[in-house]
Amino acid sequence: MMDGTILVADDDRTIRTVLTQALTRAGCKVHATSSLVTLMRWVEEGKGDLVISDVIMPDGNGLEQLPKIAALRPGLPVIVISAQNTIMTAIQAAEADAYDYLPKPFDLPDLMKRAARALETKRRAGISRAPDLNATEQGGDLPLVGRTGVMQALYRLVARVMNTQLPVLITGESGTGKSLIARAVHDFSDRRSLPFIVVAPADLDGMDGPSTILSRARGGTILFDEVSDLTDADQARIVRMLDTLGENAPRIMATSQNDLMIRMEDGSFREDLFYRLGGVTVAVPSLRERVDDIPLLADHFLARAEREGAPARRFGAAAIDMVRAYSWPGNVRQLENAVRRLVFTAAEDEISRAEVEMVLGNQPAIEPLRSGGEGEKLSASVGKHLRRYFDLHGGVLPPPGLHNRILKEVEGPLIEIALDATGGNQAKCADLLGINRNTLRKKITDLDIRVTRRRKLM
C-alpha cells in the first residue's frame, strides 16, 4: 500500500482516469487536472507529496514547470511522462531535476512502483536536490528518436552520465548514431559552452600532437572516433596523453563499432587504453534491435526532408511494412539515405511498396546479425534474436510457452548440423550431443527433421 497525496496533470482523460483509479486503490489521495495552471496552483497551496505530469499540455510545457516546482516546493518529487520520446526529452527531464522519466505508452505497474519509491524516498530522506535553473539549450534536430525499451534505457543512461567526470565509451554498429550520442552528451552537459574536439589520427602525429589537442579542448570534450581503428602507436600516444591530464581536464569520450574486449584479447587493442576509456559504456542498439522504431524514424526523415524543401511524402501501409521488415545493415544512416531517395523518386504523394522494393533492391545485402565482426559470441547473437522477438510484440509480452518455443528453434538447427558433422550416423550424433540415442530419435520426429544421407563435415 502507498500513502500520500499525488497530483496528476495530463490532457488525456483516459490516462487521468486510469491513474486516479490505480493510485486510489493503492491507498493514495489523488488530484487530477488537464491544466498546468491548476497544477501549479495546487503546488503553491502546498498540496501533494508527488507530482506526475505530462510534458505537452494545452496551456504549456510540463518540463518548463519543473524549476518553478523545485523553487516553490524543494523536495517535491516529479515523475515526467511523455509521448515526446526523444533523447532531448529525457535529457531535459534530467536537467530540470525530475525524479523520474517514463515514455508513453507506459507500463502501469512500473509507474506504480516508481511512484511508491518516490513517496518513500521523500518520506525517508526528505529529498532536497538543488534544481538546475539553467535553461536547456535546444540542440540540432537529432535523429535519436524511439519508443522502444532499448532506446528509452539509452536515453536514461545518457541523462545520468552527461555531467559525470568519467570517460564514456560509446559502442554500436556503423550508422547507429554513436557520434550523435557523443555530441548530445557534450551539448547537454555543463561543458556545452566549451570546445568539442573530434580527434583524427593525423592530430596525434608528432611530439606536439597530444599537447595541441589538450590546448584546443580547454576543458571541454575530446572524442576519439572509432578508436579501434587507431594504430598501436596512436593508442600509445593517447595513453600517454591521458596520463598527463591535470586540472581543467577535458571530458574523454570514444566510439567503436568493434568489440574492444575481443580486440584487447587478440592483441590488437591496448589493455591500458581500454581501461582508461571504459569508465561508462553506452551501447547504441541497431535498428534490428528496435524494429518498432523504424516507422517512427522513417516518418521523421520524411518530415525533415519536407522542412528542407523536398516534396511532402507519406508511406502507404504496404510500403511501411516492407521498410519495417528490412534488415537495415547500415542502420539509421542507411534508413535516412533510403528515405531521402524515396522522397525524390516517388511518383505520387504516397510512397508505394513497389517503389520501396526498387530502392531496397539496390541496397547492400549484409547478414543482419553480423553485428560488428565474426568474433561475436554465440550468446550475444542469440540475445539479439530474442530481443527482436520481444520488440516485435510492441511492449506486450509474447504468448505463454516461450521457453519451449525457443528451445525448439535452437534444437532444430543444432541437431541438423550435428547430423551433418557425423555423416548422418545417429549413434555418433547422439554421443556428440551428449544425449541418449532414443532421445535423439524422438527429437528428430518431434522437430520434423528430415534424415538423409549427409556429408560429414571436415
Side-chain angles (χ1 to χ4, degrees), residues 121-133:
T121 302
K122 178 179 184 294
R123 186 163 42 247
R124 186 174 61 248
I127 303 170
S128 58
R129 295 175 292 175
D132 181 1
L133 300 179

Side-chain angles (χ1 to χ4, degrees), residues 24-92:
T24 301
R25 283 197 300 269
C28 296
K29 295 179 181 178
V30 180
H31 297 287
T33 179
S34 62
S35 167
L36 285 176
V37 172
T38 301
L39 172 66
M40 294 306 296
R41 187 181 74 247
W42 289 341
V43 171
E44 290 181 37
E45 293 172 352
K47 293 180 180 177
D49 301 299
L50 168 66
V51 174
I52 300 176
S53 177
D54 193 6
V55 173
I56 304 301
M57 300 278 282
D59 55 349
N61 185 302
L63 286 177
E64 294 174 359
Q65 303 303 316
L66 264 63
K68 299 176 185 177
I69 292 173
L72 289 167
R73 299 271 304 281
L76 178 62
V78 180
I79 295 178
V80 174
I81 54 176
S82 175
Q84 305 297 309
N85 300 312
T86 70
I87 192 169
M88 275 73 82
T89 306
I91 291 175
Q92 286 170 339

Side-chain angles (χ1 to χ4, degrees), residues 435-452:
I435 61 178
N436 183 275
R437 185 174 180 181
N438 291 332
T439 301
L440 174 62
R441 287 174 174 169
K442 185 175 186 305
K443 288 182 179 294
I444 289 173
T445 301
D446 291 345
L447 297 171
D448 194 26
I449 296 173
R450 293 182 60 188
V451 180
T452 58

Side-chain angles (χ1 to χ4, degrees), residues 92 122 125-126 134 166 180 208 243 276 360 383 391 448:
Q92 286 170 339
K122 178 179 184 294
N134 295 326
L166 294 171
L180 291 175
D208 297 332
D243 285 344
R276 282 168 173 78
L360 295 186
D391 286 345
D448 194 26

